[in-house]
Amino acid sequence: MGNTKQIAGLALSGGGFRAVLFHLGVIRFLFEQQLLKNLKIVSSVSGGSILAAHLVLNWTKYNGTECSFNCAAREIIRFTKTDIRSRIIRRSLMYLLYLVPWLICKLRRISTRNLQLERSYKILFGAARLTGLLKDPKSPAPDQAPELPVPALHIMAASLTTGEPCAFSGKGFRRCGSGTAENPYDPWLGENLRVSWAVTASSSYPIIFPPVRIDAKALECAKDAFTTHHYLTDGGVVDNSGIQELLRLAAERSLDNCFLLKSDAGRRFDSPIQRRWWHVFYRGQRAVSMLMQTIKTLNGRRNENPAAAGLAESPGNSGNGITIIDLDIKSEIDKTNYNHALDSNIQKAASQVMTDLDGLSDGDVAALIDRGYEVAWQSWKMTGATLRQPQKKWNPLSLPENRNPGNLDASPFFLYRVLNILVAPTDLAWWALMPAAFGWLWLSVYLLRQLLAGMGIAE
């Protein structure tokens, strides 16, 4: 017997490009089952914000024909195959080695890593403003087709200044606070902020990217309307799943008798007993993973009691019948439940793909999309819903049916990662970086020889 509830909300977790592609598989499932158009609220964090913003800005495409969906999906897939992180690091090194250009760029504020990250996002989002999230700018004219209502999107970041979650939406930016009389929500400000800027703030992973400053000038408002500037970082620091904000949205809109989907592409928290964590980067990354794992556990316990999220206190939500469906990338899918399920070793490896914004291969892209689709399939089937059986796998890259699903290499060794950043002859910045690097190397050797000669050690 099928269920009578509709899917009203979707939370897209963080996880870099791994999360983007896993969520895309979930979106594809909702499209095929004609469930996507029913979404009313969406919350997103970090890598999930990349897809969420693209989804809302291209809402008509994602809910149109098979051709229009594939067109929108290929845009996001192409973006995940660009090596954003390495390109940004190479440019940062280039600015550093060329001292005079570096100083000029610092004065003009164009060399910081988060501004380079925003420039990369502009490739995907263009000049879109937050107000564009209220209405699909690519919607057809009224005489061509009825306009689909666009879901309310909240892009989540975290304030390093106050330690609280912050949200971007079509209405602007606000500090969320706790919603109590002592710590109420701030008013919405800065509706003309760029979408690329909001996604940058949401996905500025603190180990790699500096925080994004937001103040009255950035919000284009009076100073007395926004007195405290905030430094924003990755929203996953507070809640990497985005489900808490989705619950708040559900409470505000008095939603009841519906499903909320939590698409969780969080990495599997493994326990490598033999690893000594000698490198500072991996130590920092491990510490962040431990903190996020703790937050996830605490939020999971909180979600077991809807009153803890404020739902039972909201008008019309007492006994609201809201059910959270967890779409976890770490779930194991049996081929008896879904004929096209990936092999078990690929399923396990998918949750271990690095969260950096590194370019992915065709095989890795296809495997992560398939993973999102199959997890959504099994989770929705468990609700008792009637499913439309696909005749074959969705194949946006037109890969062979017997394709290699990719290595899904989760932890390439440190030297490989360094070489992947430094050796990139297809990047113009690499050609500019090499002369400066050799110049500094020659100068260092020359000065060392002069020093040794002065000491009488070498001629």
Side-chain angles (χ1 to χ4, degrees):
M1 180 177 179
N3 65 69
T4 58
K5 293 183 179 181
Q6 293 290 334
I7 296 175
L10 176 64
L12 301 179
S13 77
F17 283 163
R18 177 188 68 223
V20 173
L21 296 168
F22 177 79
H23 299 328
L24 182 59
V26 173
I27 296 297
R28 176 63 189 187
F29 170 80
L30 296 177
F31 168 76
E32 287 188 0
Q33 302 299 321
Q34 299 182 12
L35 300 169
L36 185 61
K37 59 186 177 182
N38 297 327
L39 288 181
K40 294 179 176 62
I41 52 176
V42 179
S43 66
S44 64
V45 179
S46 192
S49 297
I50 301 173
L51 180 60
H54 192 261
L55 172 67
V56 174
L57 289 173
N58 297 273
W59 187 245
T60 303
K61 282 187 176 181
Y62 277 104
N63 284 278
T65 63
E66 177 79 14
C67 182
S68 68
F69 184 96
N70 290 341
C71 179
R74 288 190 182 108
E75 289 181 10
I76 202 79
I77 290 173
R78 279 196 301 270
F79 187 73
T80 61
K81 295 172 71 175
T82 57
D83 196 1
I84 292 179
R85 186 206 60 167
S86 298
R87 287 171 60 87
I88 290 175
I89 293 178
R90 282 193 291 271
R91 279 153 180 77
S92 298
L93 290 173
M94 182 183 68
Y95 289 134
L96 182 63
L97 293 178
Y98 287 99
L99 288 180
V100 175
W102 179 77
L103 291 174
I104 294 174
C105 291
K106 276 295 183 184
L107 292 175
R108 296 180 59 189
R109 296 180 59 80
I110 64 173
S111 66
T112 56
R113 292 187 296 278
N114 49 23
L115 289 179
Q116 293 180 58
L117 180 60
E118 186 199 357
R119 196 174 297 122
S120 299
Y121 286 147
K122 282 183 179 178
I123 299 173
L124 192 62
F125 305 122
R129 303 284 172 169
L130 290 180
T131 52
L133 298 176
L134 297 175
K135 181 180 179 181
D136 184 355
K138 301 179 181 64
S139 294
D143 59 344
Q144 293 179 341
E147 184 178 332
L148 287 172
V150 176
L153 169 62
H154 280 204
I155 297 172
M156 302 305 297
S159 172
L160 291 176
T161 306
T162 63
E164 295 172 312
C166 300
F168 296 89
S169 77
K171 300 176 182 178
F173 166 84
R174 78 175 181 186
R175 181 186 62 88
C176 291
S178 61
T180 62
E182 296 79 13
N183 189 16
Y185 297 138
D186 285 349
W188 293 103
L189 297 169
E191 65 274 7
N192 288 320
L193 286 171
R194 295 183 299 274
V195 172
S196 58
W197 197 87
V199 176
T200 298
S202 178
S203 60
S204 290
Y205 190 56
I207 295 179
I208 300 176
F209 297 103
V212 175
R213 176 181 168 125
I214 188 166
D215 51 23
K217 182 179 179 181
L219 295 174
E220 299 179 351
C221 66
K223 290 185 178 180
D224 57 351
F226 195 80
T227 56
T228 303
H229 61 260
H230 290 263
Y231 288 93
L232 305 180
T233 190
D234 195 308
V237 174
V238 176
D239 175 20
N240 194 47
S241 68
I243 189 62
Q244 297 305 317
E245 184 64 16
L246 194 70
L247 289 171
R248 281 194 287 267
L249 274 170
E252 288 179 3
R253 292 173 173 259
S254 300
L255 298 181
D256 57 9
N257 194 35
C258 63
F259 289 112
L260 301 181
L261 301 185
K262 183 180 74 168
S263 184
D264 186 359
R267 191 177 186 185
R268 184 186 298 274
F269 190 79
D270 57 346
S271 301
I273 304 300
Q274 302 300 323
R275 192 161 188 173
R276 299 176 61 183
W277 309 103
W278 62 271
H279 193 272
V280 62
F281 175 81
Y282 290 120
R283 286 200 306 271
Q285 190 177 52
R286 180 66 170 182
V288 171
S289 298
M290 292 169 64
L291 290 172
M292 293 172 71
Q293 180 70 15
T294 301
I295 293 171
K296 180 179 179 180
T297 301
L298 293 175
N299 284 338
R301 293 174 183 172
R302 182 184 182 188
N303 294 338
E304 293 175 359
N305 179 14
L311 291 175
E313 301 173 1
S314 302
N317 279 317
S318 180
N320 48 39
I322 288 180
T323 304
I324 299 175
I325 300 179
D326 194 357
L327 312 179
D328 196 337
I329 193 173
K330 298 177 287 295
S331 302
E332 295 184 7
I333 310 299
D334 195 329
K335 287 185 179 291
T336 58
N337 293 326
Y338 178 61
N339 296 334
H340 303 295
L342 296 170
D343 294 338
S344 59
N345 60 325
I346 298 298
Q347 293 184 28
K348 293 178 181 178
S351 65
Q352 293 296 95
V353 174
M354 292 298 293
T355 60
D356 300 334
L357 300 177
D358 291 339
L360 298 174
S361 68
D362 285 348
D364 294 342
V365 168
L368 287 167
I369 292 175
D370 290 347
R371 185 71 180 129
Y373 188 99
E374 68 185 18
V375 170
W377 173 278
Q378 174 169 278
S379 299
W380 188 239
K381 183 178 180 180
M382 291 175 64
T383 67
T386 302
L387 295 175
R388 295 176 175 85
Q389 183 73 30
Q391 295 181 354
K392 60 180 181 179
K393 276 188 177 182
W394 181 49
N395 189 8
L397 297 176
S398 301
L399 298 178
E401 290 297 326
N402 58 347
R403 62 180 182 267
N404 181 355
N407 295 325
L408 295 177
D409 193 356
S411 301
F413 59 91
F414 180 71
L415 181 59
Y416 173 84
R417 295 173 64 84
V418 172
L419 291 176
N420 186 50
I421 293 173
L422 296 181
V423 182
T426 58
D427 187 1
L428 292 178
W430 181 80
W431 292 98
L433 178 63
M434 287 301 102
F438 283 115
W440 278 104
L441 179 62
W442 177 87
L443 180 61
S444 300
V445 172
Y446 174 78
L447 292 177
L448 179 61
R449 291 185 62 183
Q450 293 297 317
L451 178 61
L452 294 176
M455 297 173 61
I457 298 177
E459 297 185 0

